[in-house]
Amino acid sequence: MGADYWPYRARRGDQAELGKPYRFGEETALIEMPISWSLDDYPHFEFVRTPATVLPGLHSARTVMETWRDEFRYMQQTVDWGVLTYTMHPYVIGRGYRMLALEGLLKDLSAAGAVFMTMEEAATEAQALMFAPLPSS
């Protein structure tokens, strides 16, 4: 969750102390992919009640897909290249009416020029576009 649309290298050894400037640690070869709770199906659709909280869920599938569509539109308008990670769980998105809404989203994104790929493929593309090779150890 370090960037909205850009993969970034994970770091090791960051240091944070009260009253002192934050110090970044060394970059690693691990590429972190952008992710957001707003693009995850679970918080939008699942109702959960615990003694401490209630996750209301049960939102309109069409409304959620419109939000996800708008996130893609915004990315398209503001960056030359980026990764938008939608997170879906089969037991959540798999309800019939949600699948219909998802099908509509996928058609709209395809028509708007979205390219669908695995996270591994996106990380490989990010490596080629964004990152210089790390020095060998």
Side-chain angles (χ1 to χ4, degrees):
M1 296 184 183
D4 287 341
Y5 309 117
W6 301 284
Y8 54 94
R9 289 204 185 276
R11 292 186 309 268
R12 164 183 323 127
D14 288 2
Q15 295 180 6
E17 297 178 45
L18 287 176
K20 294 185 178 181
Y22 189 87
R23 289 185 303 248
F24 292 123
E26 71 171 306
E27 282 190 342
T28 69
L30 179 65
I31 297 175
E32 293 271 355
M33 302 305 284
I35 192 166
S36 170
W37 282 109
S38 65
L39 300 174
D40 187 309
D41 63 352
Y42 192 89
H44 293 290
F45 295 132
E46 289 301 300
F47 178 86
V48 177
R49 179 183 296 178
T50 70
T53 189
V54 172
L55 179 65
L58 307 178
H59 294 266
S60 161
R62 286 190 179 93
T63 301
V64 173
M65 297 306 139
E66 189 59 32
T67 300
W68 290 0
R69 215 175 265 110
D70 287 345
E71 188 73 35
F72 175 77
R73 286 186 195 119
Y74 182 80
M75 182 183 74
Q76 228 179 7
Q77 292 172 13
T78 59
V79 300
D80 293 330
W81 181 89
V83 175
L84 193 58
T85 307
Y86 296 109
T87 304
M88 287 169 260
H89 305 82
Y91 60 89
V92 176
I93 200 68
R95 301 287 312 165
Y97 72 99
R98 294 175 188 159
M99 292 301 292
L100 288 174
L102 176 61
E103 184 178 272
L105 173 70
L106 296 176
K107 286 179 184 176
D108 290 349
L109 294 178
S110 292
V115 176
F116 299 90
M117 59 182 67
T118 66
M119 296 303 275
E120 182 177 11
E121 291 166 337
T124 299
E125 192 167 318
Q127 174 66 46
L129 291 171
M130 300 177 66
F131 304 114
L134 290 174
S136 304
S137 301

